[in-house]
């Protein structure tokens, strides 16, 4: 897992922003900086984006930064395998992030200050159930997950694969693991 | 010949309509005198809209400032004359550029011409006015960010869509004697740019519309979140503002061209949800009123 302080990236991209992520232009420049940082990480890495030093985040900026950062990672054939987890997200940030993710049908893993990790954005009840099952076990094989939630093996497999494609879980050999779980 | 527009004694959003109606009778290239001598009160909407009026004229208009000393002093502290001097020929003396020092003026008249202006506005509100805002509105932490977000989205609307600069101002009022019965904060964001109809001219909403005028364009942008860009992520700014204002029992109105929409009308006020056929005024004028949070029963 590689920690990326969003406020440091923002300072580098636009010192006038003073830790506030507002306007589309600001979102676009900070995204560019962070995309470069993620591209420099090893294939399959999890980038932990830390919002704890960020003040205001508006929706336009969140769309340009967060949603457009995640969109290319979740394509059917992305150019590289990268994962993103958000930390240090306040309730105010969450409003903007949730709204833009839902607009694009995206979701992200967010770890809150109390240490609890949640899925934020557009997630079906079945996806959420299986994701929580994997999180509770810190990784699991498809058979175990299917048993735990009472699903046919094929349906569990397809849903778990979709969660991997959406960059909300990782594939570890034959098992599925939370982002950030030891490889 | 110079046409005279009389500024009413009380210049708020509703009363500014009388100025626009007078303006509609004047040819676009006519010499104009905006007579504010008898004006004794102006809201952020009134002051920023007066600057837009001057911006919209081909010939630099004249401006007669208020005669009342207190009004004159307030307009100076609100930095109105700093920008009015650039746009109008002032007929009469006005106080020298004065530091605000007025705790009710949370953000003086501030120009919005680019990205850095929006960043500056948010920074100033966060650094200087946050404590006053919290005390005035008793906002929860989550809603406090909503205030800055609303301000930045409204101001961003200018740089993204107006095609020319505009103005922002934020002011606190004690409305204990009015129907709302509590403190409020007003945000006005006004520009004299292309307006919503022209901005959405190339949009899908325009292509699909049977009827296309300022009213339908405002509805498309404010209610349906339509943007001139095909990107589904666009048009979220106003949607976010609308959601936040609704959540905190506030009021939002947007005027553009010949139409005005009030998508959020709280119980403490009355208004017409959608109006068309008004006297034309260029650009877009956004007014947000946020009342103090009601104590929980």
């Amino acid at each position: 897992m590689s920690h990326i302080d969003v406020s440091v990236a923002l300072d580098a991209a636009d010192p006038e922003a003073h830790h506030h992520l507002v306007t589309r232009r600001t979102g676009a420049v900070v995204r560019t900086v962070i995309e470069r940082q993620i591209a420099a990480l090893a294939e399959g890495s999890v980038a932990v984006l830390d919002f704890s030093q960020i003040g205001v985040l508006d929706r336009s900026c969140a769309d340009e930064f967060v949603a457009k950062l995640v969109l290319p990672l979740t394509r059917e054939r992305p150019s590289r395998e990268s994962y993103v987890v958000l930390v240090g997200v306040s309730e105010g940030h969450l409003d903007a992030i949730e709204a833009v993710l839902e607009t694009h049908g995206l979701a992200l893993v967010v770890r809150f200050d109390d240490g609890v990790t949640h899925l934020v954005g557009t997630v079906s009840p079945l996806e959420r159930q299986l994701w929580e099952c994997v999180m509770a076990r810190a990784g699991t094989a498809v058979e175990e997950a299917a048993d735990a939630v009472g699903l046919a093996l094929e349906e569990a497999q397809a849903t778990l694969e979709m969660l991997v494609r959406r960059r909300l879980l990782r594939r570890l050999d034959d098992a599925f693991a939370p982002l950030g779980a030891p490889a | 010949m110079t046409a005279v527009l009389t500024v009413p004694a009380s210049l708020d959003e509703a009363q500014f309509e009388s100025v626009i109606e007078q303006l509609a009778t004047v040819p676009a290239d006519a010499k104009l005198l905006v007579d504010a001598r008898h004006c004794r009160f102006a809201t952020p909407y009134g002051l920023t809209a007066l600057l837009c009026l001057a911006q919209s004229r081909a010939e630099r208009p004249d401006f007669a400032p208020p005669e009342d000393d207190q009004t004159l002093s307030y307009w100076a502290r609100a930095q109105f004359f700093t920008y009015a001097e650039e746009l109008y020929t002032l007929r009469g003396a006005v106080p020298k550029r004065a530091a605000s020092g007025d705790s009710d003026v949370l953000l003086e008249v501030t120009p919005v011409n680019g990205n850095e202006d929006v960043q500056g506005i948010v920074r100033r509100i966060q650094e200087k006015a946050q404590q006053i805002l919290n005390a005035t509105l008793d906002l929860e932490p989550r809603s406090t960010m909503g205030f800055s977000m609303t301000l930045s989205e409204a101001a961003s609307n200018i740089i993204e869509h107006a095609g020319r600069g505009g103005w922002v101002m934020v002011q606190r009022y004690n409305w204990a004697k009015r129907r709302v019965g509590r403190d409020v904060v007003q945000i006005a964001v006004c520009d004299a740019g292309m307006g919503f109809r022209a901005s959405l001219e190339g949009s899908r909403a325009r292509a699909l519309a049977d009827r296309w005028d300022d009213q339908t364009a405002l509805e498309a942008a404010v209610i349906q979140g339509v943007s001139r860009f095909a990107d589904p992520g666009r048009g979220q700014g106003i949607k976010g503002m609308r959601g936040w204002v609704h959540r905190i029992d506030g009021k939002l109105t947007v005027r553009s061209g010949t139409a005005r929409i009030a998508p959020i009308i709280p119980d403490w006020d009355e208004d017409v949800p959608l109006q068309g056929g008004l006297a034309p005024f260029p650009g877009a004028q956004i007014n947000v009123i946020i009342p103090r949070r009601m104590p929980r029963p």
Side-chain angles (χ1 to χ4, degrees):
Chain A
M1 300 233 286
S2 298
H3 181 265
I4 296 175
D5 187 328
V6 176
S7 72
V8 172
L10 178 57
D11 257 354
D14 186 352
E16 291 301 307
H18 289 264
H19 297 192
H20 298 305
L21 278 168
V22 295
T23 79
R24 284 201 171 266
R25 212 196 94 191
T26 306
V29 294
V30 77
R31 170 169 44 83
T32 305
V33 168
I34 288 178
E35 276 172 345
R36 278 195 215 115
Q37 289 180 303
I38 291 176
L41 301 176
E43 184 83 3
S45 294
V46 178
V48 179
L49 304 190
D50 186 348
F51 280 72
S52 57
Q53 300 304 312
I54 292 296
V56 178
L57 170 67
D58 72 21
R59 280 198 194 187
S60 298
C61 190
D63 184 67
E64 204 63 48
F65 167 31
V66 181
K68 289 186 179 159
L69 180 75
V70 178
L71 268 170
L73 305 179
T74 58
R75 286 195 190 118
E76 197 161 351
R77 288 187 186 80
S79 58
R80 57 182 284 114
E81 187 194 347
S82 302
Y83 301 86
V84 170
V85 172
L86 307 187
V87 299
V89 171
S90 71
E91 282 189 74
H93 299 146
L94 194 60
D95 275 346
I97 291 169
E98 207 159 22
V100 300
L101 291 176
E102 284 171 1
T103 297
H104 292 277
L106 297 168
L108 270 173
V109 176
V110 179
R111 194 169 69 231
F112 291 96
D113 288 346
D114 58 6
V116 180
T117 306
H118 288 276
L119 278 184
V120 169
T122 302
V123 190
S124 71
L126 184 57
E127 283 179 318
R128 190 175 295 281
Q129 206 180 356
L130 279 167
W131 183 84
E132 283 170 357
C133 171
V134 173
M135 292 300 289
R137 288 162 177 76
T140 181
V142 63
E143 294 82 3
E144 191 185 347
D147 271 355
V149 300
L151 272 183
L153 196 62
E154 295 74 19
E155 194 176 1
Q157 176 86 35
T159 308
L160 287 165
E161 295 288 0
M162 181 53 77
L163 286 166
V164 172
R165 191 187 132 192
R166 299 186 72 195
R167 299 292 179 249
L168 303 172
L169 290 177
R170 284 202 296 172
R171 191 77 199 254
L172 289 179
D173 301 322
D174 289 337
F176 295 87
L179 303 189
Chain B
M1 194 173 141
T2 301
V4 180
L5 302 191
T6 304
V7 177
S10 179
L11 185 65
D12 58 10
E13 184 189 354
Q15 292 300 313
F16 192 76
E17 285 301 316
S18 77
V19 178
I20 300 175
E21 283 162 14
Q22 294 173 63
L23 185 66
T25 65
V26 177
D29 57 352
K31 176 71 180 170
L32 214 62
L33 166 64
V34 177
D35 181 2
R37 284 177 302 155
H38 302 298
C39 186
R40 297 181 70 93
F41 171 79
T43 62
Y45 187 97
L47 292 179
T48 52
L50 278 179
L51 294 174
C52 292
L53 191 162
Q55 274 184 307
S56 71
R57 301 299 293 178
E59 188 179 348
R60 185 183 175 97
D62 288 353
F63 187 84
E67 287 177 343
D68 176 66
D69 285 344
Q70 279 190 6
T71 309
L72 201 59
S73 167
Y74 169 73
W75 288 29
R77 280 182 281 118
Q79 306 301 336
F80 171 78
F81 295 119
T82 305
Y83 305 104
E85 277 174 343
E86 296 169 7
L87 298 164
Y88 286 102
T89 300
L90 299 183
R91 284 196 189 178
V94 295
K96 295 263 182 228
R97 190 181 180 128
S100 171
D102 185 338
S103 64
D104 286 342
V105 180
L106 302 182
L107 183 74
E108 303 87 359
V109 172
T110 305
V112 181
N113 293 302
N115 196 60
E116 61 285 355
D117 294 324
V118 182
Q119 291 173 331
I121 287 163
V122 169
R123 190 166 65 244
R124 282 169 63 192
I125 280 290
Q126 287 291 117
E127 286 170 3
K128 295 181 181 168
Q130 201 62 56
Q131 212 176 346
I132 300 165
L133 269 177
N134 289 347
T136 302
L137 299 177
D138 189 25
L139 294 176
E140 291 171 332
R142 188 171 185 155
S143 287
T144 305
M145 193 180 295
F147 185 93
S148 295
M149 183 273 290
T150 294
L151 198 52
S152 75
E153 295 288 12
S156 290
N157 192 59
I158 295 176
I159 57 174
E160 290 283 335
H161 304 290
R164 75 188 303 175
W167 315 91
V168 177
M169 185 181 166
V170 184
Q171 165 83 36
R172 172 173 71 170
Y173 292 103
N174 181 336
W175 278 6
K177 290 180 181 167
R178 296 174 71 155
R179 188 167 153 189
V180 63
R182 43 197 156 135
D183 284 355
V184 301
V185 169
Q186 280 195 28
I187 300 174
V189 182
C190 295
D191 72 76
M194 69 175 76
F196 281 87
R197 181 163 55 89
S199 175
L200 295 179
E201 201 59 53
S203 70
R204 189 173 155 76
R206 166 70 181 98
L208 296 174
D210 294 333
R211 183 171 70 100
W212 187 248
D213 53 20
D214 289 319
Q215 202 175 323
T216 45
L218 259 187
E219 265 190 301
V222 178
I223 304 296
Q224 296 150 28
V226 169
S227 162
R228 68 190 158 109
F229 301 98
D231 177 353
R234 291 284 186 151
Q236 295 200 49
I238 292 180
K239 194 176 166 189
M241 284 167 57
R242 202 157 49 91
W244 182 75
V245 171
H246 178 68
R247 214 159 58 217
I248 55 150
D249 192 31
K251 182 177 180 187
L252 167 69
T253 59
V254 186
R255 192 194 198 285
S256 186
T258 57
R260 178 180 178 274
I261 193 164
I264 309 289
I265 305 172
D267 291 342
W268 50 261
D269 205 6
E270 287 170 358
D271 210 328
V272 181
L274 183 63
Q275 288 172 280
L278 301 172
F281 194 66
Q285 296 79 45
I286 299 174
N287 202 31
V288 183
I289 303 175
I290 302 144
R292 183 181 177 83
R293 187 161 61 125
M294 292 286 268
R296 290 208 176 102

